[in-house]
Amino acid sequence: MPRSSIVIRNGTIVTMSGDHTVLRGHDLRIDGERIQTIGPDLDTTGAEVIDATDAIVMPGLIDTHMHAWQYAWRGLAARMWSSSAYRDLFWFLRETYTPEDTYESTLGCGHEMIEHGVTGVLDFFHGANATTEHADAAFEAHLATGQRVQLAYGSIVADPADRDRFARAHRQRLAGADALRARAEAEARGLIDVGLGLVTPAREVMGLFLDEVGHARAAGMRMTFHQNAPGEIRAIHEAGGLGPDLVPVHANTVSDRELAWMAEAGMAISATPQAEVAATRSVSVLRRAIAHGVTLSVGVDTPAVLPIDLLGQIRLAYILLQHTDAQAMHEAGRIAVDDVLDPRSATFEDVLAMGIRGGAAAIGLGRELGVLREGALADVVVLRPRDVDAAMSDPVAHVVLTAASAHDVDTVVIGGVVRKRGGALVGVDAAELERRNGAVRRRVLDRLSR
Ligand SMILES: [Zn+2]
């Protein structure tokens, strides 16, 4: 896909910059992979013109916790509690995956994310079997969709109680991640960065976890991990392991003291609102992270159970925050009847920023992504609302409360390349994509009945 010049014309631009500017009737010009300028009546010479009259122009959404390789399992485990699905179903199915299954799943998931305006993703890849072929397949699928990806290379192929096998798998994973990272630097035109999906830091594998952190830090790789059990952040802190390159996912059980250490270390959390609610976990971390100044980002988690729609997760984060605030208020014996008593811990802008600026920070691109301004990377979404007058009266509130996600996403530009236009993916045969998605899903599920 060529990168050239694009002018998005006459839009309502939600810049997501610090002062939350909304620029009405403005143009946005992209040259190559970056935003060249924003202003009224820009020169369109030599540029592809995309009309954004009556539309909202905003930075692309960034999902910071997705397992794209599980896309073939969608619809499979809606009635299972999260850990039982993994124990009884998912790990068995993983053993049966071919690299082609991984490729097709990742490709389908990436395309559906782009449909929903998700331009960037932290893909936690724990779908490796014994070789590196599955990770290569995930990488190649990401190359094909053109999404901006941090591919967190991980795998939990062995039981930690089986120490030898576990240690061997651990060494293989680090070598595989290094090799794939070198490949990404050579082939991915700056769009794919390979990091580490760390082992879950249960007490008995904390040594391995810290080993992985050391390996990644020495190489300048970013890291993410599933943070579920209480006390893990404390243990990592005491070992000197916290840092801005480390993104805990879920983090429901962190204490306020741990949040203070995370704020000091400049860390971002990946919150997965629907996954938390589905597993009846606490979501108080949303409100407490805001209070402690820890950056929040938002992720979907497994597509086996959850919708790909990140805007829906942002909306749910807003609802949960409001709910938590209301609970605190009622427990204090107060009733929110006027603005003086308004207990809200976050504005619409703050909540939307979790899915954009928070995401950019979590993938290490906080300085050049997540804001529409001159020189920023050109990951841009155009939303075309049905009810224009209502949407334009408060575009940010509209996006958080009302926008109908994939349906309303008219145009998606990633790194200066148009990936969706006029409501359809560019260069993708929709019927063929649907056929392939159906085929891989049936192929993978067929193995369940054998
Ligand atoms: Zn996960």
Side-chain angles (χ1 to χ4, degrees):
M1 294 269 172
R3 283 172 176 148
S4 48
S5 296
I6 300 164
V7 173
I8 300 176
R9 232 184 55 76
N10 193 34
T12 296
I13 299 182
V14 172
T15 64
M16 297 307 292
S17 58
D19 51 1
H20 299 305
T21 315
V22 174
L23 305 167
R24 294 174 193 271
H26 272 53
D27 303 347
L28 180 147
R29 183 178 175 111
I30 297 165
D31 285 328
E33 64 172 352
R34 289 182 188 269
I35 297 170
Q36 204 257 338
T37 187
I38 297 173
D41 299 316
L42 295 182
D43 181 14
T44 57
T45 312
E48 177 181 356
V49 176
I50 296 173
D51 183 49
T53 303
D54 291 337
I56 295 166
V57 183
M58 57 184 266
L61 303 169
I62 300 168
D63 183 322
T64 58
H65 191 63
M66 173 60 81
H67 302 297
W69 68 280
Q70 300 180 342
Y71 187 68
W73 303 345
R74 61 202 181 283
L76 189 58
R79 290 169 191 262
M80 295 177 92
W81 298 104
S82 59
S83 55
S84 64
Y86 275 91
R87 198 183 52 237
D88 301 340
L89 191 60
F90 292 170
W91 292 154
F92 161 73
L93 279 173
R94 179 172 65 183
E95 297 291 319
T96 73
Y97 252 47
T98 65
E100 193 195 352
D101 298 333
T102 303
Y103 180 88
E104 291 293 342
S105 294
T106 307
L107 191 77
C109 193
H111 280 137
E112 192 176 336
M113 282 191 271
I114 294 172
E115 284 274 18
H116 282 87
V118 179
T119 54
V121 62
L122 205 177
D123 181 17
F124 196 120
F125 176 73
H126 49 9
N129 290 336
T131 73
T132 58
E133 288 169 27
H134 293 78
D136 285 340
F139 171 79
E140 281 153 21
H142 283 312
L143 262 187
T145 66
Q147 235 187 341
R148 190 178 300 282
V149 179
Q150 188 160 103
L151 183 57
Y153 196 117
S155 92
I156 316 167
V157 292
D159 176 358
D162 181 352
R163 282 181 174 277
D164 284 352
R165 193 177 170 218
F166 195 85
R168 207 164 50 242
H170 167 73
R171 282 192 305 275
Q172 275 171 1
R173 176 168 64 245
L174 295 185
D178 290 345
L180 192 58
R181 187 164 185 240
R183 196 178 161 200
E185 278 167 10
E187 295 177 32
R189 296 166 302 139
L191 279 176
I192 305 178
D193 176 32
V194 174
L196 274 190
L198 304 172
V199 69
T200 301
R203 193 174 313 218
E204 64 274 19
V205 292
M206 186 54 90
L208 278 183
F209 178 90
L210 293 169
D211 246 31
E212 293 185 346
V213 171
H215 179 92
R217 289 243 162 91
M221 282 169 124
R222 295 190 63 82
M223 298 160 275
T224 184
F225 68 102
H226 292 96
Q227 200 285 301
N228 288 314
E232 289 172 351
I233 294 291
R234 169 181 286 275
I236 301 166
H237 166 75
E238 285 170 355
L242 297 183
D245 48 4
L246 185 60
V247 177
V249 181
H250 308 308
N252 292 291
T253 60
V254 291
S255 67
D256 287 353
R257 188 75 197 90
E258 288 176 313
L259 281 168
W261 289 323
M262 289 167 68
E264 251 173 59
M267 292 167 69
I269 289 174
S270 174
T272 58
Q274 193 168 343
E276 313 310 332
V277 173
T280 59
R281 294 185 287 224
S282 159
V283 290
S284 75
V285 68
L286 292 173
R287 187 175 198 248
R288 294 188 296 117
I290 291 169
H292 283 86
V294 176
T295 302
L296 282 167
S297 68
V298 187
V300 161
D301 207 330
T302 176
V305 190
L306 299 157
I308 298 295
D309 174 11
L310 193 69
L311 214 43
Q313 298 303 314
I314 291 167
R315 186 166 303 150
L316 182 55
Y318 165 77
I319 293 165
L320 291 170
L321 268 167
Q322 290 283 96
H323 177 70
T324 315
D325 287 342
Q327 285 288 97
M329 187 114 182
H330 287 294
E331 277 160 24
R334 298 164 74 192
I335 301 167
V337 287
D338 62 38
D339 287 346
V340 180
L341 289 177
D342 188 340
R344 265 179 289 195
S345 42
T347 63
F348 289 125
E349 283 78 5
D350 296 333
V351 176
L352 186 56
M354 293 175 199
I356 298 177
R357 280 210 314 271
I363 60 171
L365 293 173
R367 288 176 195 280
E368 49 184 346
L369 191 66
V371 181
L372 299 184
R373 61 162 169 72
E374 209 171 292
L377 289 166
D379 294 7
V380 183
V381 167
V382 179
L383 285 176
R384 203 171 283 287
R386 275 231 166 124
D387 186 349
V388 174
D389 286 350
M392 294 308 173
S393 66
D394 187 339
V396 175
H398 167 77
V399 174
V400 174
L401 291 178
T402 318
S405 203
H407 178 275
D408 288 5
V409 174
D410 178 85
T411 297
V412 176
V413 180
I414 307 173
V417 178
V418 181
R419 296 292 177 181
K420 187 178 183 186
R421 175 103 199 246
L425 294 174
V426 173
V428 176
D429 176 342
E432 167 69 2
L433 181 65
E434 203 177 311
R435 190 196 63 72
R436 288 173 71 163
N437 286 342
V440 64
R441 188 168 181 283
R442 278 190 301 279
R443 189 164 76 223
V444 169
L445 299 192
D446 272 355
R447 295 182 199 132
L448 267 183
S449 54
R450 275 187 220 153

